[in-house]
Amino acid sequence: MAREQSESCCCLLGWSPKEVLSFPYPCWTQPPPCIKPRAAEQPLSSDLNWALTGLEESSGTMVGLKPSEMPPTTAVKFLGAGMAACFADLLTFPLDTAKVRLQIQGENQASQAARSVQYRGVLGTILTMVRTEGLRSPYSGLVAGLQRQMSFASIRIGLYDSVKQLYTPKGSEHSSFITRILAGCTTGAMAVTCAQPTDVVKVRFQANKHFGPDGSKKYSGTMDAYRTIAREEGLRGLWKGTFPNITRNAIVNCAEMVTYDIIKEKLLDYHLLTDNFPCHFVSAFGAGFCATVVASPVDVVKTRYMNSLPGQYRSPLDCMLKMVAREGASAFYKGFTPSFLRLGIWNVVMFVTYEQLKRALMNVQMLRESPF
């Protein structure tokens, strides 16, 4: 009777009759270590461990690539920032062009009245440009814009962490607010110094200044624009508006990088979000809004001065004073809506792409350095 119960119990466990006959112990005692159930490929403890700790990962909540085991190098950040900025520019360039057109509207009242072209709103500006200048007009100056991002964003964003660490005292776990501002101002000024000619050409194309008085194209292309400006206005023409651009981009870079850095750090420190897409999205959106509010007045003056005719303004300060006298203080926030849409979307796309590119490039680098 006991043997029949043993056989029935052991058969439920998946043991064969031969194993039961050769098994000298009762089935209610612990089986010898050499005999394992055939149906159980993994112990129950590992299944429970998966259920408790691996549910989040297996359910798909991790969006994108996981952080690499090694922190990204300076070269990875430099290259990743330029690539991410170019991708963001491709998606938001029409908004940037609409912002430039709205900012310079009202600058030359006579010519504006003669052409009777008025821009109203973001969508209305883009539609007016398409109707009067063709489908490609919202992307006028895109080549110079991409050249600008590869040289500009790579420095101001890619080198931000390295400069911040340089300013941070040894032994400090976190960088202070002043240190972050100094790092943002430093990388912003460095970026403008290197990329100013590309910004001048981009604004000229976006403002439609590449057409001559008779309606013919003044510049046959981006490279011809560099040569023509240098020949007609000198090398100073390519660096026209450097000071207001340094001021503008120092403010924008501080607002973007410092805000993104602090928001992301606090979200992670207080365990509100993990280092994942939602955290990057919230941080980038906040950075874009703060940058637009702070930098819009300087951005308007910078655009007007860079787009002006030779001798129209004596200095950026003269441009600012004349603009306020003619159009009032509200002129500082002309084009605010496209600026916010552009900077908000641009920051979200750029920072999310930047975080993923850093992880992807580090994974590639680790695979290349792996001996296996």
Side-chain angles (χ1 to χ4, degrees):
M1 182 67 180
R3 182 173 293 277
E4 291 177 358
Q5 291 178 353
S6 177
E7 289 179 0
S8 61
C9 293
C10 294
C11 288
L12 291 175
L13 295 175
W15 297 341
S16 65
K18 292 183 180 180
E19 291 173 344
V20 175
L21 293 175
S22 62
F23 184 36
Y25 304 100
C27 63
W28 54 83
T29 62
Q30 183 178 359
C34 59
I35 302 177
K36 296 180 180 179
R38 293 177 179 176
E41 297 180 357
Q42 294 182 349
L44 182 61
S45 60
S46 65
D47 294 334
L48 292 175
N49 182 61
W50 170 85
L52 294 174
T53 62
L55 183 60
E56 179 181 353
E57 182 177 349
S58 62
S59 62
T61 56
M62 173 61 73
V63 180
L65 300 173
K66 296 180 182 179
S68 59
E69 297 178 358
M70 295 178 59
T73 62
T74 302
V76 166
K77 294 177 183 178
F78 188 88
L79 180 61
M83 295 172 61
C86 286
F87 180 70
D89 247 28
L90 286 172
L91 298 181
T92 61
F93 202 82
L95 295 174
D96 190 36
T97 305
K99 176 204 72 173
V100 170
R101 294 296 180 92
L102 288 170
Q103 286 177 342
I104 65 174
Q105 184 166 253
E107 182 178 22
N108 297 316
Q109 296 291 343
S111 60
Q112 291 258 346
R115 291 183 301 173
S116 67
V117 176
Q118 295 293 325
Y119 302 118
R120 293 183 175 86
V122 182
L123 183 60
T125 301
I126 295 176
L127 292 177
T128 301
M129 291 169 56
V130 171
R131 185 177 65 253
T132 59
E133 303 170 33
L135 290 173
R136 299 174 60 181
S137 58
Y139 279 94
S140 182
L142 177 62
V143 175
L146 297 180
Q147 292 173 352
R148 173 180 179 269
Q149 292 300 345
M150 281 305 299
S151 56
F152 181 72
S154 298
I155 296 175
R156 76 177 185 93
I157 298 173
L159 299 183
Y160 171 78
D161 287 334
S162 299
V163 175
K164 183 179 70 173
Q165 292 300 322
L166 184 65
Y167 289 153
T168 303
K170 293 183 179 180
S172 300
E173 295 183 0
H174 296 289
S175 302
S176 65
F177 182 71
I178 300 299
T179 299
R180 299 172 202 258
I181 290 180
L182 288 175
C185 291
T186 301
T187 56
M190 291 169 55
V192 171
T193 303
C194 296
Q196 181 68 10
T198 62
D199 206 6
V200 171
V201 173
K202 179 183 78 75
V203 170
R204 295 284 179 95
F205 274 91
Q206 287 180 317
N208 210 21
K209 278 295 185 72
H210 61 291
F211 285 94
D214 56 350
S216 61
K217 283 189 175 182
K218 189 175 182 179
Y219 312 128
S220 60
T222 304
M223 299 308 298
D224 181 62
Y226 291 119
R227 291 191 295 266
T228 304
I229 294 174
R231 184 176 63 251
E232 295 180 355
E233 305 175 36
L235 290 177
R236 293 181 59 183
L238 290 173
W239 270 268
K240 188 176 185 179
T242 300
F243 178 74
N245 208 15
I246 286 179
T247 306
R248 183 256 184 192
N249 281 287
I251 296 173
V252 169
N253 204 40
C254 287
E256 283 182 355
M257 297 303 302
V258 175
T259 305
Y260 180 84
D261 204 13
I262 292 177
I263 293 177
K264 180 182 175 182
E265 182 180 280
K266 297 305 179 184
L267 290 175
L268 297 178
D269 287 347
Y270 290 101
H271 304 286
L272 300 175
L273 294 171
T274 59
D275 192 3
N276 202 359
F277 173 79
C279 177
H280 305 159
F281 180 89
V282 173
S283 304
F285 188 83
F289 179 79
C290 292
T292 308
V293 172
V294 172
S296 185
V298 185
D299 192 27
V300 173
V301 175
K302 184 258 314 185
T303 300
R304 293 265 183 118
Y305 187 72
M306 291 172 58
N307 185 56
S308 63
L309 298 172
Q312 186 174 355
Y313 302 117
R314 293 192 302 271
S315 65
L317 180 61
D318 180 58
C319 175
M320 181 187 70
L321 294 176
K322 288 182 177 179
M323 184 176 66
V324 174
R326 294 170 183 171
E327 305 168 53
S330 60
F332 285 123
Y333 284 93
K334 278 192 171 183
F336 180 83
T337 301
S339 292
F340 173 64
L341 289 176
R342 195 256 176 181
L343 269 180
I345 297 173
W346 191 93
N347 273 272
V348 169
V349 175
M350 196 284 299
F351 278 112
V352 170
T353 307
Y354 178 46
E355 296 283 357
Q356 296 301 310
L357 280 174
K358 285 193 298 185
R359 298 175 181 183
L361 292 173
M362 282 305 299
N363 289 336
V364 172
Q365 181 174 337
M366 292 174 64
L367 287 175
R368 292 183 62 183
E369 295 177 356
S370 176
F372 302 102

